Amino acid sequence: MRRTDREIHSRETIDQIIAAAGVCRLGLSNRDQPYIVPVSFGYDGKAIYFHTATEGRKIDYMTANPRVCFEMEQDVRVIRNEELACKWGPIFFQRDRVWHDP
């Protein structure tokens, strides 16, 4: 982490952050193709578990490259939908360039 003054080492604080998270996104990569997807998750105090099917793009990506990242958000509004458990927004795939301002 670039800003070592912002690192969190306290297990209690980390547990509180995870417990308060309403949304989690999992970041994956396969060859040169990135993939980020919102996932349901669980936490038992020792490990974070991501809900996923036993086959599909997430599993394919994790099998090809086990290096993943995730981010969690607090203070978001989760809309419950009993009829459609996975009603998420679209995921866009695009090439990007970094622009340097002279």
Side-chain angles (χ1 to χ4, degrees):
M1 183 170 183
R2 185 179 60 85
R3 296 272 318 264
T4 57
D5 62 312
R6 305 282 313 241
E7 288 183 23
I8 300 170
H9 297 279
S10 162
R11 170 56 78 181
E12 183 178 336
T13 302
I14 292 168
D15 289 346
Q16 290 171 352
I17 291 168
I18 294 170
V23 172
C24 179
R25 290 180 187 85
L26 182 62
L28 309 152
S29 179
N30 185 3
R31 297 184 198 151
D32 67 343
Q33 183 65 55
Y35 180 53
I36 185 167
V37 61
V39 292
S40 297
F41 69 96
Y43 178 62
D44 67 4
K46 295 179 183 177
I48 297 171
Y49 299 90
F50 301 110
H51 180 265
T52 185
T54 57
E55 58 183 37
R57 184 176 293 194
K58 287 190 293 283
I59 296 297
D60 292 347
Y61 273 51
M62 285 186 276
T63 301
N65 181 3
R67 297 185 64 163
V68 303
C69 65
F70 65 92
E71 67 89 24
M72 295 180 168
E73 289 184 46
Q74 297 177 355
D75 300 322
V76 294
R77 187 173 138 237
V78 177
I79 300 171
R80 306 276 181 215
N81 185 330
E82 300 298 325
E83 296 175 17
L84 184 60
C86 297
K87 186 174 183 179
W88 303 101
I91 298 172
F92 298 96
F93 292 91
Q94 184 65 22
R95 290 192 182 269
D96 194 15
R97 288 181 245 152
V98 176
W99 293 92
H100 298 279
D101 194 5

